[in-house]
């Protein structure tokens, strides 16, 4: 069941991302939105494809690929929210040099923390490093939640803040407790659904350009 969901997510989201770019007709906002979706699903594929194979063939050893995939996904998720911030700037014409510096700095710190060998991505990843690397990532998420909440009168993206909030609400318990209670890892499925929701908001906007 998990494998089927992952295959659907990867194929569906990639198609939607490409269609957003095609429908954007040079519109900078939605071209960037399509690229954001493609970056997201491309990074996720490095982690989810090994999970699909592991679900199908449970006797195989996919530890290295799963760990490496987690590292790549962590980086692309960071880029996803950085691109989302740039989309915010374009859509609402609210450019704050200070806020842009903060978002870029948080991105750099997050990616740098992900690259530290102490994360031991392909081995027994320590929970404490999961917390360290997710502090700047969560800060990025909180900034995006606040910004989109303050602009919730926008009919197209009025629920963007809620989708981001729920994605983190499903994600953070996995970071903190999945090693102790593996079933908590199932929260990644509704978290992924929130990303699909976000991408579909962009697709709806791109269709309006026709």
């Amino acid at each position: 069941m998990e494998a089927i969901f992952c295959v659907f997510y990867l194929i569906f989201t990639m198609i939607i991302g490409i269609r957003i770019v095609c429908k954007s007709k040079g519109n900078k906002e939605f071209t960037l939105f399509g690229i954001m979706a493609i970056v997201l699903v491309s990074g996720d594929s490095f982690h989810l494809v090994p999970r699909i194979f592991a679900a199908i063939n449970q006797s195989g050893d996919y530890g290295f690929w799963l760990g490496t995939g987690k590292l790549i996904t962590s980086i692309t998720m960071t880029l996803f929210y950085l691109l989302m911030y740039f989309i915010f700037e374009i859509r609402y014409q609210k450019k704050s040099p200070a806020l842009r510096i903060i978002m870029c700095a948080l991105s750099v710190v997050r990616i740098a923390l992900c690259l530290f060998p102490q994360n031991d991505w392909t081995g027994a990843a320590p929970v404490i490093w999961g917390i360290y690397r997710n502090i700047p990532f969560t800060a990025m998420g909180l900034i995006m939640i606040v910004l989109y909440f303050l602009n919730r009168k926008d009919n197209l993206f009025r629920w963007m803040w809620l989708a981001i909030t729920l994605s983190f609400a499903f994600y953070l318990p996995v970071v903190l407790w999945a090693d102790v209670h593996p079933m908590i890892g199932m929260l990644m499925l509704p978290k992924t659904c929130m990303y699909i929701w976000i991408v579909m908001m962009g697709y709806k906007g791109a269709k309006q350009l026709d």
Side-chain angles (χ1 to χ4, degrees), residues 33 36 77-89 92 99-100 102-104 106-107 136-152 157 159-165 167-168 198:
F33 206 107
M36 181 182 77
M77 282 172 61
T78 307
L79 298 176
F80 176 84
Y81 280 104
L82 185 60
L83 290 172
M84 184 181 286
Y85 172 73
F86 293 146
I87 291 168
F88 169 86
E89 283 191 341
Y92 302 108
L99 199 52
R100 176 177 282 206
I102 290 171
M103 286 294 291
C104 290
L106 288 171
S107 300
F137 183 61
T138 303
M140 293 178 71
L142 288 172
I143 290 171
M144 298 315 303
I145 291 167
V146 172
L147 291 178
Y148 279 98
F149 179 79
L150 293 175
N151 291 275
R152 63 191 182 280
F157 291 155
W159 297 116
M160 183 69 79
W161 68 272
L162 180 59
I164 300 171
T165 301
S167 72
F168 275 92
I198 290 171

Side-chain angles (χ1 to χ4, degrees), residues 51-109:
R51 285 190 69 88
I52 292 167
F53 279 103
I56 295 171
N57 179 20
Q58 298 183 4
S59 62
D61 183 7
Y62 301 96
F64 172 81
W65 297 109
L66 286 167
T68 304
K70 285 182 180 179
L71 168 59
I72 295 171
T73 299
S74 296
I75 294 172
T76 52
M77 282 172 61
T78 307
L79 298 176
F80 176 84
Y81 280 104
L82 185 60
L83 290 172
M84 184 181 286
Y85 172 73
F86 293 146
I87 291 168
F88 169 86
E89 283 191 341
I90 295 169
R91 184 168 185 83
Y92 302 108
Q93 294 296 304
K94 296 180 179 180
K95 295 184 179 181
S96 168
L99 199 52
R100 176 177 282 206
I101 290 172
I102 290 171
M103 286 294 291
C104 290
L106 288 171
S107 300
V108 171
V109 172

